Amino acid sequence: MSASQTPLVVVGDALLDHDLCGRAERLAPDAPVPVVHGARRSSRPGGAALAACLAAADGRPVTLVTALGRDAASDTLRELLTDRVGLIEVPLEGALSSKTRVLAGDRPLLRLDDGEGRAREATAQAVCAIAAAAGVLVADYGHGTADVLRDALSHTAAPVVWDPHVRGRPPVPGVRLATPSAQEARAFARRLDGGDSGDTPGLRTAARDARALVGAWQARAVAVTLGERGALLSDGETPLLVPTPATATGDPCGAGDRFAAAAAGLLADGALTEAAVQGAVHAATRFVAEGGARAVAVPDDPETVAEPSTDGDTTADAVRTAARVRAAGGTVVAAGGCFDLLHAGHVALLQAARRAGDCLVVCVNSDDSVRRRKGDGRPLVPAVDRVRVLRALECVDAVAVFDEDTPERILGELRPHIWAKGGDYARTRLPEQPLVESWGGQVLLLPYLDGRSTTGLARRAASAPAPAPGRTR
């Protein structure tokens, strides 16, 4: 997207989100709960702050109007927002709300919530920013920012997209588009009819709820988001179903923010509502396919990945590199193998893979993984040295070591757009191919130099004649 796009003002409740992501392969012996190990902690903007960062990633100038305080969580969020968005603060009473999710891969196991701070009052600077806005997104998470600025939001001439939360109040009258999820639309509609109809979210229920909310909120349109089914757009008459372009698997956290941010930006640029909703559905689908909210996360211990560890584990560095390139709109390429005795065939493959995208992450079998695949005599070079050699290549941006026989787990963390393999796999369906295609990625075969192999090099080296007496190699 062009950097000359219309500026956007995002108004709402910022949160601080933490993810503890690891692997769960067994249950605890003392309770039927998963044991998560190898967890890595990262922090990211949440709530309105996430929506603002996602809008900024589209290439447009973004100003975030939100409530922050003097607590540690507020300070951390300020640091995370530096150089991403402009920031206008209103005073916060109490501590900033933060969430900590514990995940096994993409599956959330537990969430811990802290902080119940609320916006205390509006400021003149915040009111002026809304009045001068060319486009406004309200991300109301029920912590009062939209409440204290409600009068300014009611009188702005800019198109307003309102992303409501069941803990917040309804949108101000006249918004261009409201974007509740199906569950949120159902909850708001129940408040209107004074009870619980017993209906479960579905297309018919979503259409009825959207029509009711258009009238009750005096909104120009309501788009009910339906997850992997897309969104249902209603202006009070016959609804329009906007389906997703593809099925995206992955962590859906933040998909609603991605949808609302894309819709608000497109409306600010002058798009029709139908086109804005279609673009928002496509943006949300890509967002989930490419790793979700964790693409904007920052590891809490970046100093630990500056150099390869003794076992060659640089996975955190590789995941962060892929997330950074993906968030900037670039193409992530991954390639894998043992890379024992790096030779010209390897180098040619890696150079070609790097030219296919904007960064190359090399996935390397650990020593145990190589031994299981190749036999007790391998690897000839330990992982820590193989990693060091690969990182020294100009075409390699990061290296990740995996201990399994196949790289599905590490690919699930990296979510590359392209998985590059040598042309010698042309007649083989790779076991990781369905996984890569599940998030919209593709397997790409690249030419392989004939006659180059680690096994052949090792065999020739072992059969080489011994040096003559008195001579050294």
Side-chain angles (χ1 to χ4, degrees), residues 17-245:
D17 288 347
H18 307 286
D19 286 336
L20 281 168
C21 186
R23 301 191 301 276
E25 299 166 347
R26 61 187 177 91
L27 296 178
D30 54 344
V33 295
V35 175
V36 178
H37 60 94
R40 293 186 300 277
R41 182 182 175 94
S42 61
S43 299
R44 54 183 167 80
L50 174 60
C53 289
L54 295 174
D58 287 339
R60 68 180 70 251
V62 175
T63 299
L64 171 63
V65 179
T66 193
L68 293 177
R70 298 181 179 180
D71 55 290
S74 293
D75 290 340
T76 299
L77 184 58
R78 288 187 184 96
E79 293 178 7
L80 291 174
L81 294 174
T82 300
D83 298 329
R84 290 184 174 185
V85 300
L87 184 60
I88 295 177
E89 299 183 22
V90 299
L92 180 73
E93 189 74 40
L96 183 72
S97 293
S98 63
K99 300 182 299 182
T100 300
R101 297 191 308 161
V102 181
L103 303 99
D106 286 332
R107 186 183 298 275
L109 302 178
L110 177 70
R111 197 182 94 180
L112 305 173
D113 288 8
D114 293 296
E116 288 292 338
R118 291 188 62 83
R120 188 170 69 238
E121 60 188 0
T123 65
Q125 186 182 17
V127 171
C128 289
I130 295 171
V136 175
L137 167 62
V138 178
D140 182 10
Y141 279 77
H143 293 281
T145 303
D147 292 344
V148 300
L149 292 164
R150 195 170 183 85
D151 185 64
L153 292 167
S154 299
H155 291 92
T156 181
V160 176
V161 172
W162 195 293
D163 192 16
H165 190 284
V166 292
R167 295 180 61 182
R169 294 171 61 186
V172 299
V175 299
R176 180 73 64 85
L177 181 68
T179 61
S181 67
Q183 292 79 9
E184 290 164 342
R186 184 83 286 267
F188 280 113
R190 285 170 180 163
R191 296 177 189 176
L192 297 177
D193 59 31
D196 187 346
S197 67
D199 290 341
T200 56
L203 286 179
R204 180 178 298 180
T205 302
R208 187 173 64 245
D209 291 343
R211 183 171 61 252
L213 295 177
V214 167
W217 290 347
Q218 300 176 46
R220 299 270 293 275
V222 170
V224 178
T225 56
L226 304 170
E228 63 184 17
R229 301 181 72 176
L232 191 75
L233 174 64
S234 174
D235 61 1
E237 301 296 335
T238 304
L240 172 69
L241 177 64
V242 181
T244 57

Side-chain angles (χ1 to χ4, degrees), residues 55 58 132 160 218 259-260 275 360 367 390 406 413 438:
D58 287 339
V160 176
Q218 300 176 46
F259 179 92
L360 173 63
D367 291 345
L390 285 166
T406 57
E413 295 189 47
S438 72

Side-chain angles (χ1 to χ4, degrees), residues 389-413:
V389 171
L390 285 166
R391 284 167 61 98
L393 296 179
E394 185 177 0
C395 60
V396 175
D397 297 279
V399 180
V401 178
F402 63 94
D403 195 48
E404 298 80 11
D405 292 338
T406 57
E408 281 98 329
R409 180 187 61 80
I410 186 60
L411 286 175
E413 295 189 47

Side-chain angles (χ1 to χ4, degrees), residues 363-440:
C363 304
V364 179
N365 297 75
S366 71
D367 291 345
D368 288 340
S369 177
V370 174
R371 195 170 296 114
R372 289 193 300 268
R373 293 188 59 193
K374 304 290 187 179
D376 291 339
R378 303 280 295 274
L380 301 171
V381 178
V384 63
D385 290 342
R386 288 184 281 133
V387 168
R388 188 175 295 276
V389 171
L390 285 166
R391 284 167 61 98
L393 296 179
E394 185 177 0
C395 60
V396 175
D397 297 279
V399 180
V401 178
F402 63 94
D403 195 48
E404 298 80 11
D405 292 338
T406 57
E408 281 98 329
R409 180 187 61 80
I410 186 60
L411 286 175
E413 295 189 47
L414 295 169
R415 290 181 174 264
H417 299 91
I418 295 173
W419 174 236
K421 298 294 290 184
D424 51 337
Y425 285 91
R427 294 178 177 85
T428 304
R429 181 167 175 83
L430 302 170
E432 59 270 23
Q433 184 168 345
L435 175 68
V436 174
E437 292 175 347
S438 72
W439 57 72

